[in-house]
Amino acid sequence: MLTGLSAFPLTPFRHDDVDMGAYARLVVRMVEAGVDSIGALGSTGSYAYLDRNERRAVAAATVEHAGEVPVIVGIGALRTSWVRALAADAQEAGASAVLLAPVSYQPLTEDDVAGLYEDVTAELSVPLVVYDNPGTTHFTFSLELYAHIARLPEVEAIKIPPVAGSVAEVRERVQAIRAVVPGHVKLGISGDGFAATGLLTGCDAWFSSLGGTLPRTMAGVARSALAARADGTSRAERSLADSEGLRPLWDLIADFGSLRVAAAIAEHLGLVAAPSLPRPLRGLTEEDRSRVREVVDTLDLRE
């Protein structure tokens, strides 16, 4: 379950309500593309903007339409009691695992974060993915904190931030994390433009922000990298070249952020109605949307 491509869909909005019809179609589209798991209510799913009832409904809809594909449900929230309630909702909906980021308003200490995971895992009966996303949480996990949390019950994977650098530098970072966590704990890379390198250098999974919008394209990148890791250097070079061929797409994410890019692509492809983001988030300007359309058409990303 916590290997291969985990695709994270948008939670599309229509008139300030979740567009459940469009969401269901996104889930079915991912299933048909052969993704390995679906990550509902991640950052791409705008989880922080949904109330508990909306999140419960999205979790249930994901499980319903995912069929046999495992579903990982995001449960991050400001208060531990809220996280526990969301975890209970996710489990009741039939989630295969949950995903937890240390969401905050006041800056969190390492003790705060350790306590959060200790409290939540004490009541959990499904696997937990630790969500290390300093870009949104403004909290950075140390290796020591990874080591502590990875030994808690039900912790079975860590979603690590994108690692920039050469293949050797990325491998060094992945190995450093591997060295401090139990062997059963999987490592998943995030940051779509860095995923091929992460998979080639030892990550088990790729948690993809665009996998929910362009599942066939992202699945192709993931399968190429995982196959290359097993086959050796020549195929690895080809896998990196395939990812680099999507550089205009990765540049869009770097310039505008993955959520706005995913929404703009989904709107352009007619997968969701525009505007699809929850207010106060606004989509890209018309000028920037034109650039997105050009990239989609040039790279033939209509799937």
Side-chain angles (χ1 to χ4, degrees), residues 148-195:
H148 172 73
I149 293 174
R151 285 168 171 78
L152 295 173
E154 305 300 346
V155 173
E156 295 197 13
I158 302 173
K159 178 181 178 181
I160 67 173
V163 182
S166 66
V167 170
E169 290 169 326
V170 176
R171 180 177 290 110
E172 181 180 5
R173 175 59 177 170
V174 172
Q175 290 177 344
I177 300 172
R178 286 263 187 227
V180 301
V181 303
H184 73 276
V185 173
K186 303 291 193 295
L187 297 185
I189 191 72
S190 60
D192 288 357
F194 302 88

Side-chain angles (χ1 to χ4, degrees), residues 5-7 29-38 69-70 211 215-216 219 223:
L5 177 67
S6 187
R29 191 167 184 264
M30 288 183 284
V31 172
E32 292 174 345
V35 304
D36 297 293
S37 64
I38 295 172
V69 178
R216 294 188 186 279
R223 289 166 188 155

Side-chain angles (χ1 to χ4, degrees), residues 3-40:
T3 60
L5 177 67
S6 187
F8 281 65
L10 294 163
T11 305
F13 277 73
R14 186 73 168 156
H15 306 305
D16 205 40
D17 290 318
V18 176
D19 187 340
M20 297 303 295
Y23 183 76
R25 290 189 291 274
L26 290 176
V27 173
V28 171
R29 191 167 184 264
M30 288 183 284
V31 172
E32 292 174 345
V35 304
D36 297 293
S37 64
I38 295 172

Side-chain angles (χ1 to χ4, degrees), residues 33-260:
V35 304
D36 297 293
S37 64
I38 295 172
L41 298 171
S43 296
T44 310
S46 302
Y47 71 94
Y49 297 91
L50 277 67
D51 64 28
R52 182 180 177 185
N53 288 335
E54 290 171 329
R55 293 173 72 162
R56 184 190 294 115
V58 169
T62 312
V63 172
E64 176 187 355
H65 294 285
E68 298 300 315
V69 178
V71 172
I72 306 167
V73 174
I75 58 171
L78 286 172
R79 288 172 56 187
T80 300
S81 60
W82 297 349
V83 175
R84 284 172 159 170
L86 292 165
D89 292 342
Q91 291 174 101
E92 184 178 349
S96 300
V98 294
L99 174 75
L100 176 58
V103 179
S104 67
Y105 178 78
Q106 296 294 336
L108 296 175
T109 67
E110 288 212 346
D111 284 346
D112 294 331
V113 173
L116 168 67
Y117 287 94
E118 290 164 3
D119 290 342
V120 173
T121 56
E123 300 179 349
L124 203 58
S125 59
V126 297
L128 181 140
V129 179
V130 176
Y131 188 3
D132 182 0
N133 187 6
T136 58
T137 64
H138 308 292
F139 179 85
T140 300
F141 284 74
S142 65
L143 288 176
E144 293 75 15
L145 189 57
Y146 278 152
H148 172 73
I149 293 174
R151 285 168 171 78
L152 295 173
E154 305 300 346
V155 173
E156 295 197 13
I158 302 173
K159 178 181 178 181
I160 67 173
V163 182
S166 66
V167 170
E169 290 169 326
V170 176
R171 180 177 290 110
E172 181 180 5
R173 175 59 177 170
V174 172
Q175 290 177 344
I177 300 172
R178 286 263 187 227
V180 301
V181 303
H184 73 276
V185 173
K186 303 291 193 295
L187 297 185
I189 191 72
S190 60
D192 288 357
F194 302 88
T197 305
L199 292 172
L200 285 168
T201 53
C203 287
D204 304 287
W206 168 20
F207 296 98
S208 174
S209 58
L210 289 185
T213 305
L214 300 171
R216 294 188 186 279
T217 301
M218 299 304 115
V221 174
R223 289 166 188 155
S224 173
L226 289 170
R229 189 167 81 192
D231 285 358
T233 304
S234 61
R235 190 162 180 177
E237 291 174 351
R238 189 167 72 236
S239 175
L240 290 172
D242 289 343
S243 177
E244 187 59 27
L246 296 172
R247 173 57 52 193
L249 185 60
W250 310 148
D251 288 344
L252 288 176
I253 295 175
D255 290 345
F256 306 124
S258 58
L259 174 58
R260 287 182 170 85

